[in-house]
Amino acid sequence: MTNPNGLAVRRSAFPRLFAPVFLCATVVLAAVPAFASPIGWDVFGGRYTDREENFLGAGARIGLASITFNPNAEYIFTDNGTAYTLNLDGTMTVLPLGVGSGWVGAGLTFFTVDPDNADSNTNTGLNVLGGFGLSAVPFKPYAQIKWAFIEDDNPFAILVGIRF
């Protein structure tokens, strides 16, 4: 490039590089709070011990200090029909440790059974639960027990899962 006097002028590359570098740094720094947000997910599997039925489930985890709201769903593997639960659970951390934490909680459950040759039936009940999870590893594994109190039925479940 030349100036009006015809002399060669060398332009610095700094202004051209500054804008993209600044933009990338801003995006990275803005994304950090999103990764540290109190919203996460979990997937789990387990067994209802009294019914001898296995299940898989998934849910969201919405945390606020030591309280976590955990809406989740479970699909129960049954013969001759379909069964699932929709749960609105809440937990409170009672054992905060550096490598993990323990919690207790309760929640509302909607238990639906749809047999192949009969009408579908949904019962509402109460979940009581407790568990322990590790926080020092990338996929945060956990184990939990759950006792549901549903009309004329009190299934007990043991489950394991990961939080992320």
Side-chain angles (χ1 to χ4, degrees), residues 10-106:
R10 190 172 135 169
R11 293 185 70 188
S12 171
F14 180 75
R16 286 182 286 166
L17 291 176
F18 178 74
V21 169
F22 180 74
L23 179 63
C24 288
T26 303
V27 168
V28 168
L29 292 175
V32 170
F35 287 117
S37 73
I39 299 174
W41 303 97
D42 66 339
V43 293
F44 53 89
R47 184 170 182 85
Y48 282 102
T49 59
D50 55 339
R51 298 176 175 189
E52 298 183 3
E53 295 173 332
N54 297 322
F55 63 90
L56 290 176
R61 298 180 50 80
I62 304 159
L64 179 62
S66 65
I67 305 292
T68 302
F69 178 62
N70 181 221
N72 62 78
E74 302 169 353
Y75 178 81
I76 303 166
F77 297 96
T78 61
D79 294 330
N80 304 320
T82 303
Y84 61 90
T85 67
L86 300 175
N87 305 291
L88 302 172
D89 295 331
T91 62
M92 183 174 82
T93 302
V94 293
L95 185 63
L97 300 173
V99 297
S101 61
W103 61 85
V104 296

